[in-house]
Amino acid sequence: LPFASSWTLPSTHRFLASPSLSRPHLRRPCPGVVPLRSTAESSPAAGVSTDDDGAPWWKSFTLEHAWVAEQTRPQFPILSRTVGDDKPLIYLDSAATSQKPSEVVDALRRYYDTMNSNVHRGAHFLSQAATTAYEDSRDAVAELIGAARREEVVFTSGATQGLNLLARSLGGRRHRHGAPQQHRPVADARRAPGSGAAGGEIRGAERRPHRTGRGPPAVPRDPADEGRLVRPVSNALGCINPVDEIVSHVRSNAHPDCAIVLDACQSVPHMAVDVGALGVDFLVGSAHKFCGPTGIGFLWGKYTRLEALPPYQGGGEMIDTVTLGGSTYAPPPARFEAGTPPIAQAVGMGAAARYVQRVGMENIHAYEKELGQYLVRRMNEVPGVTAFGPPPGEPRAALVSFATEGVHASDLSTFLDMEGVAVRAGHHCCQPLHTELGVSHSARASLYFYNTKRDVDVFIEKLEQTMDFFANMGESGTDDDFGDMDGLFSFDDFP
């Protein structure tokens, strides 16, 4: 088999792990996972300019961990393609979804070519092989987030389903969300079938973010508060929230049994996460954010918390016994994985988890810190651009949401796309935040470890050219004067 595993089928329940996999901690590296190391004998200090000829500072700006992108970028074939009018792709939308390395795609193909079968329910070779690969992926995710037990990892279709699962299973309680003016968790919870019928009330935490995203956590005292959703990294502002402070405050002021849920979609892909040290009860993530397939994610929960939750859906595998008089349910995680699961996607998620661990989460985080600071510093120098989030020099994620004077975000992203630069335009699931900031929409450039300094430089160049074009068009007072666009944009991209 192409997957090495010690997973077996115990006699008590086919879904439970063997005792050898119920480890007290999972901080050892995955088998075969050796973090990348710089091959350079020495690296120039980041940000040191050696030009004395008056050239712009960024011309000689260097990144100490640039080798991370240099070593990994060739493993992402899509990044070498051209788009539109033969323009090299500059992909700056990884906060929406990341690109996939060849070994993740190969894992999906290998599954379908060599072991395609349903899991847990067959004694034949293919079923056992598929089950082994599927459960290996659970181990890989547990390793990635530092879970104490593999049974604490529940496979879902993504973070959205994980939040809906909790909203329904924790029904009858009052829950708050502590994300910076983000509407998605509120919408997920309010739409969760059964949460309203059970008397659940989801209330938004009062937040007053300004353009930097800084400020103390706004967690009002409420002894009846039995659920709190926290986002450690903002996908819109890029600010990194003090999870330890928020958790401590909630534990001191909320109901003793308050469930703290971490939406880790923007943290698991970019930094080392250890759920045992966070002090939270649940955590959700999506594979497509950390180089895995779409349609698959996970919910982590303390095992005692998961054991106390009722099933989310009914179907095969989530039952223990069934009689005409009633049913009993399987223990976690089977209880929450009803029906045939997304097996291939789970296998791909496991491959992605192993891949980013081999790159090294410390390497990824260190490089993105440098590249993110470079991005925001350069954007702050572009006339007519307002960059939201922490200013240069302060900790932030490697993304920048921004508004442009006189240019709508959708128009801007369309023109950038004509030059091969892919950015996101819209609300970024944060309509209340945009209302607070006084803008209808924003554009967002988001980076990952495969992006390079050149990606940022090309983006800034095209951004400045686009801003100049719209400024000149406004001065000319006409909408059909495109003379200044010769050699800049090609309208052959439009059908």
Side-chain angles (χ1 to χ4, degrees), residues 283-309:
L283 179 147
V284 296
S286 292
H288 71 98
K289 306 283 190 179
F290 58 89
C291 301
T294 56
I296 185 71
F298 64 90
L299 161 68
W300 168 86
K302 292 180 178 177
Y303 193 75
T304 54
R305 285 281 197 174
L306 291 174
E307 271 190 317
L309 295 181

Side-chain angles (χ1 to χ4, degrees), residues 66-106:
W67 57 270
V68 175
E70 293 171 359
Q71 292 188 31
T72 59
R73 191 175 178 90
Q75 300 157 16
F76 294 81
I78 196 171
L79 298 179
S80 62
R81 67 158 295 171
T82 58
V83 295
D85 189 20
D86 203 31
K87 301 293 176 64
L89 172 65
I90 306 296
Y91 187 75
L92 305 180
D93 196 22
S94 292
T97 197
S98 63
Q99 296 302 338
K100 322 305 175 192
S102 295
E103 67 182 69
V104 170
V105 179
D106 291 344

